[in-house]
């Protein structure tokens, strides 16, 4: 399965996906990495792995629709079948999400549906949560609300700061995203007609 990874920065999730898809057992091949920001470390990670990169700078587009359309053309150019949003900090338009329904994965640093939106790690701390974690889900039109594919729990420690909890959750992300990509790329998990994730073993 041909995969595109969309990034906005450091790309530690991208790195985890690169390591996973290098394995001979992987059902996925990353064919392009697209960043909405130039010069970020994630682009270097892709280049070092021999993966083609593109920058689609959102500041150069007059509308979200034009930005998304340009992204979509790059995806078509590379014959992409599955898209992973890995630390990608843009909200995609409804028409893009609908077109890629069931083929668009995102990772969020909380156990959804808890703590949607930005600063999810800080929300968990402020709520006094004892357990948080990360979620890989299919992207739906409602932000952070799509069908869940994989979750990984992470303990919240008494002396945790936003930084220490974020770092612990990030480690979990690097396990969860590769696992979720394999499930979708191999066809074991897909989005059902009812908008719920469907496992082959449920059929
Ligand atoms: C991190 O905050 C991570 O929790 C979230 O995106 C941010 C950057 O991740 N998913 P990455 O290192 O660029 O993959």
């Amino acid at each position: 399965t041909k995969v595109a990874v969309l990034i906005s920065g450091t790309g530690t999730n991208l790195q985890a996906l690169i390591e996973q898809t290098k394995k001979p057992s992987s059902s996925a091949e990353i064919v392009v990495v697209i960043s909405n920001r130039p010069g970020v470390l994630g682009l270097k990670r892709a280049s070092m792995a021999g993966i083609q990169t593109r920058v689609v700078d959102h500041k150069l587009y007059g509308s979200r629709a034009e930005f998304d359309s340009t992204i979509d053309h790059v995806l078509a150019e590379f014959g992409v079948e599955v898209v992973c949003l890995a630390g990608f900090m843009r909200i995609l338009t409804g028409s893009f999400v609908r077109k890629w329904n069931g083929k668009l994965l995102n990772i969020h640093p909380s156990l959804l549906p808890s703590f949607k939106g930005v600063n999810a790690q800080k929300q968990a701390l402020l709520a006094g949560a004892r357990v948080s974690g990360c979620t890989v889900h299919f992207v739906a039109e409602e932000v952070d609300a799509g069908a869940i594919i994989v979750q990984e729990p992470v303990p919240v420690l008494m002396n945790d700061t936003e930084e220490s909890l974020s770092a612990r959750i990030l480690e979990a992300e690097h396990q969860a995203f590769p696992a979720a990509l394999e499930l979708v790329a191999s066809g074991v998990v897909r989005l059902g007609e009812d908008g719920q994730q469907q496992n082959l073993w449920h059929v």
Side-chain angles (χ1 to χ4, degrees):
T1 302
K2 293 187 184 301
V3 175
V5 181
L6 274 52
I7 62 168
S8 297
T10 318
T12 65
N13 275 287
L14 166 64
Q15 190 61 48
L17 294 171
I18 288 171
E19 304 302 332
Q20 171 62 32
T21 53
K22 272 182 189 167
K23 295 174 186 170
S25 60
S26 176
S27 303
E29 177 197 4
I30 301 173
V31 294
V32 63
V33 169
I34 305 173
S35 175
N36 67 300
R37 292 171 56 213
V40 295
L41 179 55
L43 288 168
K44 290 182 185 54
R45 295 178 190 272
S47 301
M48 285 196 289
I51 299 169
Q52 293 207 62
T53 62
R54 288 284 191 283
V55 173
V56 181
D57 186 339
H58 61 281
K59 294 197 287 295
L60 304 182
Y61 295 86
S63 71
R64 285 188 184 281
E66 284 166 296
F67 170 76
D68 288 9
S69 170
T70 305
I71 298 269
D72 202 40
H73 283 105
V74 173
L75 298 176
E77 179 191 341
F78 285 87
V80 168
E81 298 164 279
V82 170
V83 180
C84 292
L85 306 181
F88 186 66
M89 293 305 172
R90 301 289 300 167
I91 302 292
L92 294 161
T93 57
S95 56
F96 183 94
V97 169
R98 280 191 298 276
K99 173 173 182 181
W100 288 92
N101 193 37
K103 303 293 180 192
L104 188 55
L105 282 63
N106 183 51
I107 189 153
H108 182 78
S110 75
L111 294 177
L112 291 173
S114 297
F115 313 131
K116 297 181 181 181
V118 296
N119 302 329
Q121 303 93 333
K122 185 174 188 173
Q123 291 183 54
L125 275 179
L126 293 176
R130 289 340 190 238
V131 177
S132 192
C134 62
T135 303
V136 185
H137 61 96
F138 287 112
V139 174
E141 290 184 64
E142 183 189 344
V143 175
D144 296 334
I148 291 169
I149 303 166
V150 167
Q151 291 190 306
E152 184 151 331
V154 167
V156 181
L157 306 181
M158 294 302 285
N159 58 352
D160 259 334
T161 61
E162 186 180 355
E163 289 69 30
S164 61
L165 179 57
S166 297
R168 192 173 313 116
I169 292 174
L170 198 55
E171 286 307 308
E173 293 180 38
H174 301 159
Q175 304 303 315
F177 215 159
L181 176 56
E182 289 299 334
L183 287 171
V184 174
S186 64
V188 165
V189 166
R190 64 170 186 263
L191 190 61
E193 301 308 313
D194 58 356
Q196 295 303 313
Q197 65 99 0
Q198 196 169 60
N199 305 331
L200 277 194
W201 56 79
H202 278 187
V203 168

